[in-house]
Amino acid sequence: MKCPFCAHGESKVIDSRPADEGVSIRRRRECLKCQKRFTTYETVERMPLVVVKRDGSRQTFDRIKLINGMLRACEKRPVALQDIEKIADDIEQELMGKLEHEISSEEVGNLVMERLKDVDQVAYVRFASVYRQFKDINTFMEELSKLLEIGH
């Protein structure tokens, strides 16, 4: 670590402690040349997740967009915002855990539907109808039939 005072390339760590609720580490350092002290923060480098859309375009993963889509599906339903945020957290965590930088919008949509099905079936059907772009009433009825089979 380069000293901010004399630009010497070596320092020693005097103290380390968690910062930002454990997201980073605060390190107190001392320059081996000028003996001045300075603080550094160490965080995990995260590569951005890129969502590959149906048309082949790419877009940075947006947690807010994910939450907004679920909010629309859950409108006027007894689903707490806290539950929607938890689903978004779980999905984001799962995607980050895959160690892939690109993820298809289809996979993101399937993860949302999988979780909404357990939280609220009406919200699930609403989300599925937009996400799967049902072409006619028959495809819509097929999805409802699958849901009814699971329920029994």
Side-chain angles (χ1 to χ4, degrees), residues 69-131:
M70 288 188 286
L71 281 172
R72 281 191 297 279
C74 295
E75 196 169 306
K76 296 183 182 178
R77 299 296 305 154
V79 180
L81 177 59
Q82 186 175 350
D83 294 336
I84 293 170
E85 288 176 334
K86 172 81 170 93
I87 291 170
D89 289 343
D90 291 348
I91 290 172
E92 187 172 16
Q93 208 54 39
E94 185 172 332
L95 294 175
M96 291 287 194
K98 289 183 181 276
L99 303 175
E100 296 174 23
H101 302 298
E102 290 190 341
I103 192 89
S104 71
S105 60
E106 182 178 354
E107 187 169 349
V108 175
N110 287 335
L111 290 171
V112 171
M113 288 191 303
E114 187 179 295
R115 284 162 175 83
L116 278 180
K117 190 183 293 185
D118 297 334
V119 173
D120 187 279
Q121 292 182 344
V122 172
Y124 162 76
V125 172
R126 285 178 179 169
F127 188 88
S129 69
V130 172
Y131 172 69

